[in-house]
Structure formats: C-alpha cells, structure tokens
Amino acid sequence: MSTQTRLWLPLVSVLALVAACSPPLPSGVDPDALKAAVGDAVGDLNTCVVLAEAGTGRSVWRYGSSRACGLAWPACSGAKVRTVDQLMKTSGREGAEIRASCPSNADQSRSVAWAAGPAPGRPGLVFTAVMEGPNTPPGVVLGDKLRTAFERGGLSPAR
C-alpha cells in the first residue's frame, strides 16, 4: 500500500462513518432532484442551504460548498457574524421564520441574505440558508425561491 493511500484511508473511513450517522432525508425525497431544484433557484458559489431535524439540529441534507457553508457572514441582526450551523440551532423554533439582508462589506458593493424556518410541508424539519455576493437578492426573496425549489425538488407537497 502506498504512503498516499495510507494517509487517505483513515480520512475516507471517518467520512463514511459520519455519513452513516447522519439522518436521512424523508422517505420519497430524491436528493438529486432536490439538489437540482435548489441549484436552479439559488445556485451560486456563495450559497449554502441546510435541512435539519428541528429538535436536534442534526443535518439531513446540505447544498453548497464547504466555503459558503463554513464561513461566518454578517448576521444582519444583533450578532456581528454567524454561520449557517449557528443559525440552524435556533431556526424553525415555534414556526418562526428569519428573512434578513444587509451589506457584507464596508463599501456595500456586496450583500448577504439569510432565510430560515420550518421546512414547508415537513413537520420536524427546518431549513437555513445564506447567500452572499454582489447581486444577492433580499432574504425574503431567497426564502420564497427556496420554498418553490423545495416543492419542485419533492421536499414539500405541491400546493
């Protein structure tokens, strides 16, 4: 076995264990269809969308790069900055929704938008999303686009 293989084998094993411990999407939801619908609606290098169990905050599905999902962006509210996972801990509580937007840099040439709340049509699931860039829509629009994408992707029942 090569040195490179020996270095990668533990990492692959850990990733497989983490994936096996993650709760699945609800029955009947095709992750590829959901990814395509979300990508069509809000796809961008600086977009992150996470679905999680409402009570535990355990992620069941994630869209976006590790950069977009891992960076702390302006919170557009009391906190100075936050990550998607930090917002996930409080999103969807008692049906509350978050829709916020604000500049993300000093010269205000870029903005960040947040959307979070209960996953429509899926009791027990919540979503959190962030998008950042020079042409980012307001948080209200991001939330509306995601609701439509969740329906098209098979997460939410059609109205």
Side-chain angles (χ1 to χ4, degrees):
M1 187 181 308
S2 73
T3 303
Q4 190 174 26
T5 302
R6 278 183 267 177
L7 292 174
W8 282 103
L9 192 56
L11 177 61
V12 171
S13 298
V14 168
L15 291 175
L17 285 172
V18 169
C21 295
S22 297
L25 277 169
S27 177
V29 178
D30 177 358
D32 293 329
L34 184 58
K35 179 181 179 179
V38 169
D40 288 346
V42 297
D44 182 89
L45 290 176
N46 287 332
T47 300
C48 179
V49 180
V50 178
L51 292 169
E53 294 176 331
T56 66
R58 286 179 37 183
S59 176
V60 300
W61 183 83
R62 186 176 294 257
Y63 172 91
S65 70
S66 57
R67 179 185 181 281
C69 294
L71 284 177
W73 302 102
C76 305
S77 63
K80 291 189 181 223
V81 295
R82 66 177 164 211
T83 64
V84 169
D85 289 332
Q86 288 169 330
L87 181 57
M88 181 59 71
K89 293 176 183 173
T90 60
S91 73
R93 306 274 191 248
E94 300 172 16
E97 293 192 11
I98 295 167
R99 306 287 188 263
S101 308
C102 61
S104 60
N105 63 357
D107 71 5
Q108 299 188 5
S109 62
R110 299 174 69 90
S111 61
V112 64
W114 294 93
R122 294 292 178 164
L125 280 184
V126 293
F127 77 94
T128 302
V130 64
M131 179 184 246
E132 191 278 339
N135 299 311
T136 301
V140 165
V141 174
L142 178 60
D144 289 347
K145 286 182 173 203
L146 283 171
R147 287 189 173 283
T148 301
F150 291 155
E151 185 177 306
R152 281 191 3 251
L155 180 68
S156 303
R159 290 179 240 161

